[in-house]
Amino acid sequence: MFPRPLTPLAAPNGAEPLGRALRRAPLGRARAGLGGPPLLLPSMLMFAVIVASSGLLFVIERGILAEMKPLPLHPPGREGAAWRGTAPKPGGLSLSAGDSDLQVRQDVRNRTLRTVCRQPGMPRDPWDLPVGQRRTLLRHILVSDRYRFLYCYVPKVACSNWKRVLKVLAGVLDSVDVRLKMDHRSDLVFLADLRPEEIRYRLQHYFKFLFVRDPLERLLSAYRNKFGEIREYQQRYGAEIVRRYRAGAGPSPAGDDVTFPEFLRYLVDEDPERMNEHWMPVYHLCQPCAVHYDFVGSYERLEADANQVLEWVRAPPHVRFPARQAWYRPASPESLHYHLCSAPRALLQDVLPKYILDFSLFAYPLPNITKEACQQ
């Protein structure tokens, strides 16, 4: 029904393997002051991503969504799939019947991940990663031993609510609706807290998932929250951004009036592997080639995907994903469109390569910032 999976694309003669090249040099423009020509995403990776993602077009053109089989929750032959002492139903746990949109998105993401992650030099295991990348990964994967799952949290993708859920499942909180300031470290277990053999066991046997969001919408959300509301970020990052990119800023700016284009310029000059977690690419936070996730949920359908995960891990019926607070106003497509169209196009072209793997691996379209689109 689907095109046959692509075979791995070999590097040209004399070329450096793809994964090594990506780890060796940050994407986008060189850091300020270092000089040198722009560093671009290797064309071989872009080709692999485009071809792998073409499976979605194939499905749509043939009109065969109704014929798709539900995707299995676990890979074939996986051990330790029995959670809380009970075995899954015959055929394994699966997506809800008839949810074609979710099935297509998961298939495209899985197909693209497989194709890109098979390239020479790409990590197959967390211990294939350099020490710094592995440390970042393990510090972002939360553990529930009681319900046998691992969750890679991504800031600005409802991670605070997921941490509330984990605390309720662990018996630390009575309800996800308890009105307490979230402590993002206490009463939580991270893979980084465990010994290597304990980490390996959980990576092999536990259900693993993460949630993703449109990369630029996530950046806008981080910009609005951290530079518009959080004094610590204004002082630590905002003041430096203003000093670096605003003419005549003076030696001690407040950092509370960073513009979106200034924030983008800062991102262009930052190494993705050393970014703050709130704007670090998801690829570097969760390493989807080194960790084989069973499910990738979407912020765009957060409640449905989250409750599906809770059903899969057999959480108690009274544990549900928290509803969005009435006061919360997420970054809207209209707000994102306004900010992107107000930024210099050349600046956006420099920023996008930093997040190209997040766009491609998780099936998000690149923004339309043509003059025609921005005049609408």
Side-chain angles (χ1 to χ4, degrees):
M1 182 176 297
F2 289 101
R4 293 178 59 188
L6 297 175
T7 55
L9 298 175
N13 291 336
E16 187 175 21
L18 174 58
R20 191 183 310 154
L22 285 175
R23 293 195 296 269
R24 177 179 53 80
L27 302 178
R29 201 168 61 190
R31 288 178 62 89
L34 296 183
L39 298 171
L40 301 177
L41 184 73
S43 59
M44 180 172 63
L45 173 61
M46 182 66 76
F47 175 77
V49 165
I50 291 172
V51 174
S53 301
S54 65
L56 175 60
L57 297 178
F58 181 89
V59 173
I60 294 174
E61 290 174 357
R62 298 300 186 274
I64 55 176
L65 293 180
E67 300 177 21
M68 293 180 58
K69 296 180 180 179
L71 299 175
L73 178 63
H74 299 294
R78 173 178 173 149
E79 299 176 356
W83 295 333
R84 302 180 66 189
T86 59
K89 296 178 181 179
L93 301 171
S94 62
L95 298 172
S96 301
D99 196 344
S100 299
D101 176 68
L102 178 56
Q103 293 172 19
V104 169
R105 184 169 61 251
Q106 287 297 310
D107 182 79
V108 171
R109 286 173 176 168
N110 292 339
R111 180 180 297 274
T112 308
L113 280 166
R114 285 196 305 268
T115 301
V116 174
C117 294
R118 285 173 180 167
Q119 302 309 307
M122 296 298 278
R124 303 291 198 273
D125 181 274
W127 278 265
D128 291 342
L129 298 169
V131 173
Q133 292 183 22
R134 183 167 66 249
R135 183 185 303 115
T136 296
L137 170 66
L138 298 181
R139 287 176 176 175
H140 282 83
I141 295 184
L142 288 157
V143 181
S144 172
D145 283 326
R146 179 179 297 182
Y147 293 94
R148 298 176 67 86
F149 69 78
L150 303 177
Y151 160 58
C152 185
Y153 80 87
V154 177
K156 310 312 299 178
V157 191
C159 72
S160 295
N161 278 344
W162 268 114
K163 290 174 181 178
R164 287 181 181 272
V165 169
L166 265 80
K167 292 188 178 189
V168 171
L169 291 176
V172 176
L173 291 180
D174 293 330
S175 167
V176 295
D177 298 320
V178 173
R179 294 183 176 274
L180 294 173
K181 180 177 176 59
M182 172 55 62
D183 187 322
H184 291 270
R185 298 295 306 179
S186 68
D187 300 313
L188 295 169
V189 178
F190 298 81
L191 269 188
D193 300 329
L194 307 180
R195 297 190 300 270
E197 61 271 20
E198 296 173 325
I199 294 172
R200 288 188 174 94
Y201 177 86
R202 285 159 178 77
L203 286 171
Q204 180 180 355
H205 295 285
Y206 283 18
F207 175 56
K208 301 174 289 295
F209 70 95
L210 74 154
F211 274 72
V212 296
R213 184 179 188 177
D214 178 283
L216 290 177
E217 187 179 293
R218 177 173 168 249
L219 286 183
L220 178 59
S221 177
Y223 162 76
R224 289 171 46 179
N225 173 239
K226 300 308 175 186
F227 298 112
E229 304 172 12
I230 311 299
R231 186 60 183 159
E232 177 187 352
Y233 276 76
Q234 294 169 356
Q235 294 174 336
R236 181 175 179 182
Y237 295 99
E240 174 61 25
I241 291 172
V242 171
R243 277 195 299 268
R244 191 186 298 184
Y245 301 110
R246 187 179 302 173
S252 303
D256 59 354
D257 61 346
V258 174
T259 67
F260 191 61
E262 288 171 341
F263 177 54
L264 294 181
R265 289 185 64 187
Y266 167 74
L267 294 178
V268 169
D269 290 334
E270 286 296 291
D271 181 347
E273 295 179 14
R274 294 176 173 83
M275 287 180 176
N276 178 277
E277 63 174 7
H278 290 86
W279 43 83
M280 180 181 285
V282 176
Y283 178 84
H284 293 285
L285 288 172
C286 295
Q287 295 290 344
C289 289
V291 176
H292 308 296
Y293 293 97
D294 298 294
F295 181 72
V296 180
S298 295
Y299 185 83
E300 293 75 22
R301 46 169 293 144
L302 175 62
E303 185 175 355
D305 282 2
N307 286 323
Q308 178 71 79
V309 168
L310 291 175
E311 179 181 338
W312 278 333
V313 302
R314 300 183 184 180
H318 71 275
V319 178
R320 55 175 176 76
F321 195 76
R324 180 175 290 165
Q325 299 290 335
W327 53 263
Y328 180 66
R329 293 292 181 269
S332 66
E334 294 76 18
S335 176
L336 177 62
H337 181 74
Y338 168 79
H339 280 84
L340 294 181
C341 289
S342 300
R345 190 171 307 173
L347 184 57
L348 290 171
Q349 291 172 344
D350 284 342
V351 169
L352 288 177
K354 303 264 184 172
Y355 298 90
I356 195 65
L357 285 174
D358 287 1
F359 279 104
S360 55
L361 292 178
F362 305 123
Y364 284 106
L366 291 171
N368 183 356
I369 51 173
T370 61
K371 291 182 179 180
E372 293 77 10
C374 288
Q375 289 172 352
Q376 295 178 358

